[in-house]
Amino acid sequence: MSDSSVLTSPAAPHGAPHKFARDLRRMMNFIVLVLSVMLIVWISIDTFKKIDFLNNHAYMTFQFWVCVFFIIDFFVELFFSDDKWRFFRHRLVFLLLSIPYLNIVNQMDIHLSHDALYFVRFIPLARGALAMSIVIGYLSSNAVTSLFMSYICIMIMITYFCSLIFFQREAGVNPDVTGYWTALWWTAMNLTTVGCSISPVTLAGKVVAVILPICGMIMFPLFTVYLTNYVTGMMKDNTHKHDKSEQ
């Protein structure tokens, strides 16, 4: 079924279903962004206050319903997609990241290490970060600039999430981690592959220390692509203006 046949009534204009689908998608995307920001804020507060999230009933309930909304958003997007199979293949990771794993682990009394549980806690945030990057990418009509903005957003999210994990797991255990800003500095240095004199001592810290340079090596070459495209575009504009002035 194509988008044009969805919710079509005899009296409705031909473009009405498309407008409805577009408006609904925008509304859902906005709600996803708001919920993602709320999750980030809540996790940040709990991390700095050292609150045990598994025993925080309010947080567990909130993140469950956030995951439910993420799943609903996926199927709404799938329903209105022109090529449903293509959408499903390209956005399957969104669906997998929307599953409330933390609530499943808690309800089924599955025993995981505290480090593993802490990483599971960040899965809904990864879903929100991906959604944020896509929406921010839409702000530009240029394909390269859109991709660049999306990756900038992802890079900022990775830096912040990893700094939270490193701070929460290393503070009080690692004498070199004296505060959050130390953790943020360590994260930034490892993401840029420069490295830092601080060595992680916990399992979670060591895992993050492996993930960050890999992410950096994948993302930073995009700066070169963007700058090359930007300089090429400026040169073409200058050439075009010069040709027009000679005519």
Side-chain angles (χ1 to χ4, degrees), residues 65-92:
W65 287 110
V66 168
C67 289
V68 169
F69 186 85
F70 285 170
I71 294 173
I72 293 173
D73 175 67
F74 174 86
F75 284 105
V76 167
E77 292 274 0
L78 177 65
F79 179 75
F80 287 112
S81 175
D82 291 322
D83 189 341
K84 291 178 172 52
W85 175 239
R86 182 174 182 273
F87 176 88
F88 183 82
R89 285 187 289 112
H90 287 190
R91 297 293 181 89
L92 178 60

Side-chain angles (χ1 to χ4, degrees), residues 104-204:
I104 294 172
V105 167
N106 201 31
Q107 288 297 319
M108 297 184 67
D109 198 25
I110 300 174
H111 297 285
L112 296 175
S113 68
H114 197 71
D115 287 331
L117 283 173
Y118 199 76
F119 279 109
V120 170
R121 186 189 191 194
F122 279 83
I123 291 177
L125 289 186
R127 165 65 168 87
L130 284 175
M132 258 186 218
S133 66
I134 291 176
V135 173
I136 290 175
Y138 287 159
L139 298 177
S140 174
S141 58
N142 182 280
V144 177
T145 303
S146 176
L147 181 64
F148 179 73
M149 292 176 64
S150 296
Y151 273 83
I152 285 290
C153 179
I154 292 174
M155 187 175 67
I156 292 172
M157 291 294 129
I158 288 175
T159 302
Y160 183 65
F161 296 160
C162 288
S163 67
L164 280 182
I165 294 173
F166 190 77
F167 171 71
Q168 201 276 337
R169 305 309 296 152
E170 295 281 330
V173 179
N174 191 334
D176 292 328
V177 181
T178 56
Y180 172 71
W181 296 111
T182 305
L184 183 61
W185 170 256
W186 177 89
T187 304
M189 289 298 98
N190 280 277
L191 183 66
T192 56
T193 68
V194 174
C196 184
S197 59
I198 300 173
S199 298
V201 297
T202 64
L203 176 61

